[in-house]
Amino acid sequence: MSGLFESAVQSIQLGVEDYLANDPKRALSAVRNFYAGVLLLAKEVLVRAAPGARPEDIIGARYKPVPDGSGGVTFTPASHQTIDFTTIGQRFKDFGLPINQDALDDLNRVRNEVEHHYTQKPHAAVREAIAKAMPVVADLFRLINEAPNEALGDAWQVMLDVHGVYETELAACRSTFETIAWPAGMPAELCFNCPECHSDLVAQQDPANTGHETMDCRCRLCGYEFSAEEAIARALEACFESESYSALTDGGDQPVQDCPECSLSTFLLTDEHVGCVWCGLVLGECGRCMTGLTPENVSPDNHGLCGYCDHLGSKDD
């Protein structure tokens, strides 16, 4: 067993032990150990994918060119910093390896919530972290042909049990939205997420309600109650989190923007839909220059013109 793999296993086992202690003081330790263990396990997968390379060359976060003495250059790690949860997905992609980036983002989110925000139910938050980590851990073990039950021992059964309980509760929460008559353009994969603690254990307060505009919600983890507007805006933010990050880093339009009609962050600019999924506003082309209209370039006073053409028109008046 390599040192990296052994550290990964031990960190995950420690996270389970902290969880089983059911001590609020150990909640942060549990999540940190889980976070570290999963990250180390992912690094082990990368290292095993290139057994002839030095581990530091595989998992380094930054590199610098160094003359190789033959007129060329070689790239070496620029620091001791290694890849983390925000960059490991890209490294897996570079290696041609599959990884569930959304699940990694979820685990990182839960860790940040427990570490940086107060929660009334730390044990439940750790349970959610374990539940979200379990499928990721299973996939990583599969990639290196290791049996998780053998490596993790009793900790693996605890993870399976926690995941089962969490999935049952999550299914019960999501079933409360089955009666909603969703407007056109609402993403089919939309999942609700608490704006306060970011847990996915969100339920509609009145499961018999059918209108999206009256869909008041409550988080079953922290107890936060919030309106339909806040619920849908937060759900869209979470749904398009990866696309939003790509737009920031690579350029391009943000997939979710503020609607110029209802002012909610519910206007989508995606391949599947362009328009507001709350009020139904659809923007066409500017009536003068024929430029495609978006919330960023449309005139706030005339939704049929871009801001520039509307300004020119006002000067002519």
Side-chain angles (χ1 to χ4, degrees):
M1 182 182 293
S2 72
L4 191 61
F5 185 56
E6 185 176 4
S7 295
V9 168
Q10 290 177 351
S11 293
I12 293 173
Q13 289 172 329
L14 286 172
V16 171
E17 290 178 11
D18 287 330
Y19 167 75
L20 292 176
N22 198 16
D23 182 352
K25 296 178 181 179
R26 294 177 64 175
L28 180 56
S29 174
V31 173
R32 281 178 173 171
N33 280 321
F34 248 95
Y35 178 89
V38 176
L39 187 57
L40 288 170
L41 188 60
K43 291 176 181 179
E44 175 71 7
V45 172
L46 291 170
V47 169
R48 293 197 190 186
R54 297 188 309 165
E56 55 267 31
D57 292 337
I58 297 173
I59 61 177
R62 298 169 56 198
Y63 298 89
K64 61 182 179 182
V66 177
D68 62 4
S70 302
V73 297
T74 184
F75 289 87
T76 62
S79 69
H80 294 297
Q81 182 181 0
T82 60
I83 49 179
D84 57 19
F85 267 58
T86 61
T87 55
I88 201 164
Q90 183 59 49
R91 189 65 54 88
F92 265 66
K93 184 177 180 180
D94 295 338
F95 273 56
L97 295 170
I99 193 168
N100 189 334
Q101 185 63 51
D102 289 339
L104 289 179
D105 292 340
D106 270 344
L107 179 57
N108 192 28
R109 169 187 60 76
V110 173
R111 182 190 74 97
N112 287 334
E113 288 301 318
V114 174
E115 186 163 356
H116 301 295
H117 301 281
Y118 175 77
T119 174
Q120 294 279 3
K121 299 179 179 179
H123 188 70
V126 176
R127 182 186 66 187
E128 183 168 357
I130 294 175
K132 289 181 178 296
M134 197 281 291
V136 179
V137 171
D139 288 341
L140 294 175
F141 271 102
R142 192 176 301 112
L143 287 172
I144 54 177
N145 294 316
E146 297 277 359
N149 60 311
E150 294 178 4
L152 295 173
D154 293 340
W156 180 243
Q157 186 59 53
V158 174
M159 292 177 66
L160 290 175
D161 293 342
V162 169
H163 183 260
V165 171
Y166 174 80
E167 287 298 315
T168 298
E169 189 169 356
L170 182 63
C173 288
R174 290 180 174 173
S175 69
T176 64
F177 298 98
E178 292 177 353
T179 57
I180 300 296
W182 298 111
M186 193 68 76
E189 67 276 14
L190 192 70
C191 296
F192 293 95
N193 185 268
C194 177
E196 190 70 15
C197 74
H198 292 185
S199 169
D200 291 334
L201 297 178
V202 171
Q204 184 181 196
Q205 295 201 53
D206 178 12
N209 173 61
T210 60
H212 75 283
E213 295 178 336
T214 52
M215 187 190 68
D216 294 331
C217 300
R218 184 177 189 275
C219 176
R220 291 187 178 176
L221 179 61
C222 71
Y224 180 65
E225 297 182 356
F226 48 106
S227 66
E229 293 95 331
E230 193 174 7
I232 291 178
R234 171 57 195 156
L236 292 174
E237 178 188 5
C239 183
F240 293 100
E241 189 171 18
S242 295
E243 292 85 350
S244 295
Y245 179 79
S246 296
L248 281 174
T249 56
D250 303 331
D253 293 322
Q254 283 291 327
V256 184
Q257 300 187 11
D258 293 342
C259 176
E261 180 68 28
C262 65
S263 300
L264 297 177
S265 297
T266 51
F267 193 101
L268 299 185
L269 281 174
T270 67
D271 293 337
E272 291 74 25
H273 185 73
V274 177
C276 180
V277 295
W278 177 266
C279 70
L281 175 68
V282 175
L283 298 173
E285 295 180 337
C286 174
R288 289 190 176 183
C289 69
M290 308 306 291
T291 297
L293 296 175
T294 71
E296 293 182 336
N297 67 8
V298 70
S299 167
D301 302 315
N302 186 341
H303 295 165
L305 297 174
C306 69
Y308 179 72
C309 287
D310 191 34
H311 175 66
L312 290 181
S314 65
K315 289 178 65 176
D316 293 340
D317 295 340

